[in-house]
């Protein structure tokens, strides 16, 4: 079977790291375009290069936007991921080099060079993708599939603004640009990731049985696991990994609904919320295939392979 061809926009981040390890285990990666989000751009770029070193790849890493399009962010996620985004382990300076091309320009160039070939997987704030769209609105016509990890489709977000999910809430204007531009995309929201968390003891077994990738992930995820345990989040929540599973194998989805989804930009309490027109009241095109359930056993098998677990 031909491996999926991916172009990944991301803000590594612990759960981004697991998703990227999954991508390397199951797909060919044309490039990693990097934005600020979980932590600042200097850290997210370095973390991407660290991952490239870990897997021994030659994937180009493109630095993108250091800030949202319009407003400064209310918060980052260092309190979950560590100040450096990788659990403050203190890894050595990576050897992988940073490409001399801006992320938005790389997104445009790679999709022009390989039109109709690359699945675009957006795991972080959508700033780079929105900037690329403003430079070239024809981009969606070259991308056969876009998978977005973001949103909270019934308002159970994970930011200081109750309905908002982090990736969308970090740069709502960028999300608005992307959601308006793409006629169809898969949306894997925060609430779906909570429903598909892994049992802690089972995940610990995978980490013990895996190879150097499992050891690496065990080290970087410790800070996030402590945070989750203190805040009543049960199990190993692998948000970006779930989106990556959907990107790698669409048949893993067992239940989804296609609806019009928009992003709230102005609400004092709701800025960054993903607003779903569940009853088709507004007459807007239904562009988002909202992933509600996946085959958990197949998802788990994909994660185990990414961690080097035998069998």
């Amino acid at each position: 079977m031909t491996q999926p061809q991916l172009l990944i926009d991301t803000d590594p981040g612990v759960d981004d790291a697991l998703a990227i390890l999954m991508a390397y285990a199951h797909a060919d990666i044309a490039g990693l375009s990097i934005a600020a989000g979980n932590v600042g751009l200097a850290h997210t770029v370095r973390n991407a290069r660290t991952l490239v070193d870990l897997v021994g790849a030659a994937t180009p890493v493109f630095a993108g936007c250091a800030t949202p399009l319009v407003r400064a962010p209310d918060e980052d996620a260092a309190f979950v991921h560590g100040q450096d985004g990788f659990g403050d382990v203190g890894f050595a300076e990576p050897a992988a080099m940073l490409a001399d091309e801006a992320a938005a320009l790389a997104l445009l160039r790679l999709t022009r060079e390989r039109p109709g070939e690359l699945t675009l997987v957006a795991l972080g704030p959508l700033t780079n993708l929105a900037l690329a769209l403003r430079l070239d609105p024809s981009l969606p016509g070259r991308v056969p599939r876009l998978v977005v990890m973001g949103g909270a489709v019934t308002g159970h977000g994970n930011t200081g603004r109750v309905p908002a999910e982090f990736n969308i809430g970090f740069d709502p204007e960028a999300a608005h640009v992307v959601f308006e531009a793409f006629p169809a995309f898969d949306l894997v929201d925060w609430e779906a990731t909570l429903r598909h968390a892994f049992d802690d003891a089972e995940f610990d077994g995978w980490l013990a049985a895996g190879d150097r990738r499992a050891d690496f992930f065990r080290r970087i995820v410790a800070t996030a696991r402590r945070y989750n345990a203190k805040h009543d989040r049960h199990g190993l929540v692998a948000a970006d990994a779930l989106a990556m599973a959907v990107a790698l194998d669409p048949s893993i989805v067992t239940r989804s609904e296609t609806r019009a989804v928009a992003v709230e930009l102005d609400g004092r309490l709701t800025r960054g919320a993903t607003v779903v027109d569940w009853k088709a009241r507004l007459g807007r095109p239904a562009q988002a295939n909202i992933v509600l359930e996946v085959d958990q056993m197949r998802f788990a098998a994909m994660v185990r392979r990414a961690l080097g677990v035998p069998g």
Side-chain angles (χ1 to χ4, degrees), residues 109-256:
R109 177 180 58 81
L110 289 166
T111 57
R112 287 170 182 155
E113 291 174 352
R114 301 173 63 179
E117 294 182 16
L118 299 173
T119 294
L120 181 54
V121 189
L123 302 177
L126 294 169
T127 317
N128 291 333
L129 184 50
L131 182 56
L133 284 162
R134 285 300 191 238
L135 292 170
D136 181 1
S138 71
L139 171 62
R142 301 191 298 275
V143 176
R145 190 159 173 248
L146 168 65
V147 179
V148 174
M149 190 282 126
V153 299
T154 62
H156 295 267
N158 62 344
T159 72
R161 292 183 301 277
V162 173
E165 175 274 334
F166 179 81
N167 284 344
I168 306 302
F170 188 88
D171 193 346
E173 282 78 16
H176 167 76
V177 169
V178 173
F179 284 19
E180 291 284 309
F182 275 82
F185 58 90
D186 292 322
L187 184 66
V188 180
D189 86 314
W190 170 248
E191 295 158 18
T193 69
L194 294 177
R195 292 193 295 274
H196 291 86
F198 296 113
D199 176 79
D200 279 311
E202 181 180 27
F203 198 86
D204 285 337
W206 301 347
L207 294 177
D211 60 17
R212 72 188 189 285
R213 293 167 291 178
D215 182 64
F216 173 87
F217 191 72
R218 176 188 58 78
R219 296 170 72 191
I220 68 171
V221 78
T223 297
R225 295 184 84 176
R226 286 192 295 269
Y227 174 87
N228 287 340
K230 291 178 181 178
H231 293 83
D232 200 33
R233 290 182 187 169
H234 302 290
L236 194 289
V237 180
D240 293 327
L242 183 63
M244 184 59 71
V246 171
L248 291 167
D249 183 3
S251 71
I252 202 172
V253 178
T254 58
R255 186 166 67 95
S256 65

Side-chain angles (χ1 to χ4, degrees), residues 26-50:
H26 297 89
D28 294 326
I29 304 175
L32 298 173
S33 66
I34 310 301
N38 285 318
V39 289
L41 185 66
H43 288 306
T44 57
V45 167
R46 177 177 171 141
N47 293 345
R49 294 167 55 222
T50 296

Side-chain angles (χ1 to χ4, degrees), residues 6 9 19 42 55 63 66 72 74 95 121 140 157 173 184 212 234 286 290 296 310:
L6 305 182
D9 190 67
V55 299
D74 293 338
V121 189
E173 282 78 16
R212 72 188 189 285
H234 302 290
I290 302 168
Q296 186 73 358

